[in-house]
Amino acid sequence: MPDFFRNARNIQIIDSQFNVAHNEGLTGLQILFQNIIHGATHDAAERYPPPKCHPNTRKAIVNNIIEWTHRSLEINESQMFWLNGPAGVGKTAIAQTVCERLQESHRPSGSFFFSRTVAMRSDPKSLFSTIAYQLAIAMPATFGKAIEEKIKGDPSILKKNMTLQLEKLIIEPIQLLDFATSPPVIVIDGLDECQGETTQGEIVRLLGSLSQHGDLPIKVILTSRPEPWICHEFDAGLFLPHTRRLFLEQTSETDEDIRTFLRSGFSDVCSSPDHRSAMEDISKPWPADSVVDELVDKASGQFIYASTLLKFVGDPFKCPPDQLDLVLAAASTSKNNSTNPFADLDRLYIEILSTSPDKQQTLDVLGAVLALMDVKFEWWQLFVGYMKQLLDLQPEKALRSIRSLTDISEDGRVKFFHKSFPDFLLDASRSDSYFIDINVMHSRMAVACLKSIRLRYTTETDIFSSPDEISRTQVQCAVRFWDAHWMLSAATHQSQLCDEIKSIDASLFYYHVTQGWVRERASTVQHRQNRHGCSYIGVAYPVEKTLA
């Protein structure tokens, strides 16, 4: 047997891809550890620093949830707590704070924070394995022992559907526990950011099925926007007696919390070493109470408004009073739009974007980021160079002026501080001249990928043979993603795409992408028909092998 398969178990061959699990000598928990989403937990490094409640805000809501988790299921107490509300009201911050409170009190718990902008965290296939691992670590003598035996007996559980994973990894081990009060807690945040409406509904139904197992000693906290398909599941008869609901909306208590949050944030700005010279002659407290009251009114119960405003005002390279004046001026000169609940947040986004010295490049970079997220691009360490090669863009320069909305992490990943910002950019009725037509952006990306391939494409040289490893990998990305962008492109750009395809001789293109460097990895070379009816050659191969 070749060394490649030595000590291998659970070998799967799918579309010419080899999936080999080397489980020899591993414990069940170690195998489980290899199948979780590390960035989805409340204490994950990927999410640091996570959004959480200011110590003096949301106290009543957090205490209410914590108190509910302690109640016994034997007195017909609800098993699920659904915290819902529109974008920006602080659902994730509350979920994070609850998780931290549970951890501080040594309560066994497991968490999963969905994110539509991070591919691995929008995919639910490892939802229950990630939660099961955390519960196993929290309760090693009982839950952990049961998980160990199950996975050692059948590691393929981790590749089963969600129904079976819930049954084997959560329900059956939990049935071995005896918690009269304070049962273990599962916290799932941002269900509406999970892939697909159907999948979101399925997860709600699966969690609801926990109540059908008698007094199963576990409680579930779920947060989401009140999307119609999620509301439909909760309104079904199965959930009515077993779910407590809390809708987050603007109240006098919420306004007071936002006022506290703003005051604390402005105080931090004033005392920051970055602003010592700018603030030394400003009378304190700054700003005036009347200004804070105006900002609280503009927030309309949305903590994201207050959070984004503080980031903008506290920009270490700008003068805070000048930044605040920009926000107040924009608010006073804009027309009130009573039909848009995000009108004031949108005006804040527009004001921040207007500070960009190169508006078009900023929008191009943002559009490229959203397009790459659409096609599940994961090689963000290449992002800066990839954008320079494909579209002649400079992401770090383009995003510098909007650092209160986005950030480029050390691994190159572009992070949106809140999902309401991409929503704003993709909605023409909200973003006006800052609207990003994502279909047109996919067209540009597809053309750019094809041009990149054509420039490196000769009859004598393999297109992947560049001595520059970074350039070579960037071309690999172009070959990998050009057709994915094309499938999502705008119909009005099809002629340009077809012209670009025709400029590459089909037989030679076939040769170069199936020979040499990628010869052993190509799984299919096939003619496809995209949604606009234009035939082309598509190449598919195992991504994890080609970009390893």
Side-chain angles (χ1 to χ4, degrees):
M1 176 179 288
D3 288 342
F4 181 71
F5 295 102
R6 192 177 304 279
N7 297 325
R9 299 289 186 275
N10 306 314
I11 301 173
Q12 302 177 33
I13 303 178
I14 304 173
D15 292 335
S16 301
Q17 300 183 47
F18 290 94
N19 297 315
V20 184
H22 293 271
N23 295 333
E24 188 71 20
L26 296 181
T27 67
L29 282 182
Q30 288 171 333
I31 297 172
L32 178 59
F33 180 77
Q34 295 176 341
N35 289 271
I36 69 174
I37 306 301
H38 300 277
T41 62
H42 83 277
D43 55 357
E46 179 181 303
R47 298 183 60 247
Y48 186 84
K52 60 181 179 180
C53 301
H54 182 278
N56 293 319
T57 66
R58 297 304 208 189
K59 291 191 292 186
I61 293 175
V62 171
N63 288 337
N64 182 17
I65 295 173
I66 293 295
E67 190 272 335
W68 169 82
T69 67
H70 287 287
R71 292 184 182 177
S72 172
L73 291 168
E74 297 177 356
I75 56 174
N76 295 320
E77 179 56 67
S78 54
Q79 192 160 33
M80 187 183 300
F81 196 116
W82 181 32
L83 182 68
N84 65 97
V89 294
K91 299 183 294 296
T92 296
I94 292 172
Q96 176 71 30
T97 302
V98 167
C99 286
E100 293 181 2
R101 287 275 298 272
L102 292 171
Q103 187 175 49
E104 290 168 2
S105 63
H106 305 291
R107 282 287 297 281
S109 60
S111 61
F112 196 102
F113 285 70
F114 280 108
S115 172
R116 74 163 64 98
T117 60
V118 181
M120 296 297 286
R121 287 172 53 201
S122 65
D123 188 341
K125 65 183 179 183
S126 297
L127 167 64
F128 294 121
S129 60
T130 301
I131 291 172
Y133 180 79
Q134 296 169 78
L135 294 175
I137 294 300
M139 301 176 286
T142 51
F143 192 98
K145 182 178 179 181
I147 286 290
E148 174 74 26
E149 294 174 353
K150 283 184 176 297
I151 294 178
K152 285 297 287 184
D154 182 12
S156 71
I157 291 173
L158 301 173
K159 303 301 180 184
K160 302 296 186 183
N161 59 52
M162 288 194 296
T163 301
L164 283 173
Q165 285 198 35
L166 177 65
E167 181 71 28
K168 300 297 182 182
L169 298 179
I170 303 294
I171 294 176
E172 291 183 4
I174 283 290
Q175 288 175 330
L176 302 176
L177 305 181
D178 181 18
F179 282 84
T181 59
S182 303
V185 181
I186 293 174
V187 180
I188 300 175
D189 176 71
L191 178 63
D192 53 283
E193 297 199 48
C194 172
Q195 292 175 3
E197 298 171 9
T198 301
T199 303
Q200 294 170 24
E202 180 184 1
I203 291 173
V204 174
R205 289 192 297 275
L206 286 174
L207 295 174
S209 70
L210 296 175
S211 63
Q212 298 177 327
H213 292 267
D215 295 328
L216 195 67
I218 193 164
K219 290 199 170 187
V220 179
I221 300 168
L222 182 68
T223 78
S224 76
R225 297 184 189 182
E227 303 290 7
W229 50 92
I230 297 178
C231 291
H232 173 76
E233 297 296 340
F234 276 106
D235 289 339
L238 175 67
F239 287 98
L240 290 176
H242 304 290
T243 304
R244 175 178 289 196
R245 309 185 190 198
L246 178 59
F247 179 73
L248 295 177
E249 56 186 337
Q250 184 178 11
T251 64
S252 58
E253 183 179 349
T254 303
D255 287 348
E256 194 57 39
D257 282 347
I258 291 178
R259 181 177 286 101
T260 299
F261 181 70
L262 285 170
R263 270 297 176 205
S264 177
F266 283 129
S267 176
D268 290 342
V269 170
C270 288
S271 61
S272 170
D274 294 326
H275 304 304
R276 183 176 293 111
S277 60
M279 301 302 296
E280 61 183 358
D281 295 328
I282 302 295
S283 59
K284 311 297 189 299
W286 175 86
D289 288 342
S290 59
V291 173
V292 175
D293 290 342
E294 180 181 350
L295 295 175
V296 170
D297 182 61
K298 294 296 181 186
S300 301
Q302 298 168 331
F303 273 82
I304 184 59
Y305 178 92
S307 176
T308 303
L309 182 143
L310 288 172
K311 286 189 178 76
F312 181 67
V313 172
D315 188 322
F317 302 103
K318 300 291 178 65
C319 174
D322 291 347
Q323 293 288 89
L324 181 57
D325 286 344
L326 287 174
V327 174
L328 296 174
S332 63
T333 58
S334 60
K335 295 180 180 179
N336 182 41
N337 182 0
S338 60
T339 63
N340 177 12
F342 303 108
D344 290 300
L345 178 61
D346 291 351
R347 282 191 283 272
L348 179 59
Y349 285 154
I350 288 172
E351 181 56 42
I352 294 172
L353 286 167
S354 71
T355 65
S356 173
D358 189 339
K359 168 184 169 182
Q360 192 55 55
Q361 177 158 205
T362 297
L363 290 177
D364 286 344
V365 170
L366 291 170
V369 170
L370 293 171
L372 289 173
M373 289 176 175
D374 266 356
V375 299
K376 311 304 180 189
F377 183 82
E378 276 295 310
W379 299 277
W380 293 99
Q381 69 274 17
L382 306 173
F383 173 69
V384 172
Y386 190 45
M387 287 298 94
K388 186 174 182 179
Q389 174 196 318
L390 282 188
L391 300 173
D392 194 26
L393 297 174
Q394 301 182 55
E396 293 167 317
K397 181 179 180 181
L399 301 181
R400 187 175 301 150
S401 62
I402 60 167
R403 60 175 62 87
S404 58
L405 302 176
T406 63
D407 182 44
I408 300 180
S409 62
E410 292 183 1
D411 65 357
R413 183 182 299 277
V414 177
K415 175 183 179 182
F416 293 108
F417 288 123
H418 197 272
K419 55 184 174 289
S420 64
F421 183 50
D423 292 346
F424 160 83
L425 293 170
L426 297 173
D427 187 339
S429 67
R430 294 175 58 190
S431 49
D432 195 21
S433 62
Y434 293 96
F435 169 62
I436 293 175
D437 188 327
I438 194 63
N439 299 120
V440 171
M441 196 66 222
H442 277 297
S443 300
R444 289 185 60 190
M445 295 288 285
V447 169
C449 286
L450 290 168
K451 285 183 176 179
S452 177
I453 295 168
R454 177 163 54 82
L455 288 173
R456 294 179 177 274
Y457 174 51
T458 68
T459 56
E460 296 82 20
T461 306
D462 191 298
I463 59 173
F464 302 117
S465 63
S466 169
D468 182 350
E469 181 179 354
I470 294 178
S471 296
R472 184 170 66 250
T473 308
Q474 289 168 354
V475 175
Q476 293 164 15
C477 289
V479 172
R480 168 66 181 84
F481 291 109
W482 73 268
D483 61 338
H485 288 301
W486 191 7
M487 292 293 287
L488 297 170
S489 64
T492 54
H493 289 66
Q494 287 305 297
S495 60
Q496 183 182 5
L497 287 164
C498 289
D499 288 343
E500 201 62 47
I501 287 287
K502 292 174 184 176
S503 70
I504 304 178
D505 181 273
S507 61
L508 290 177
F509 184 69
Y510 174 94
Y511 174 81
H512 280 296
V513 297
T514 57
Q515 303 298 318
W517 186 85
V518 78
R519 178 173 51 199
E520 297 299 327
R521 301 163 177 82
S523 60
T524 61
V525 177
Q526 59 188 3
H527 286 276
R528 296 180 182 175
Q529 192 84 6
N530 83 341
R531 60 186 177 137
H532 304 303
C534 184
S535 296
Y536 65 96
I537 294 176
V539 182
Y541 45 84
V543 176
E544 66 275 10
K545 293 183 180 294
T546 57
L547 295 178

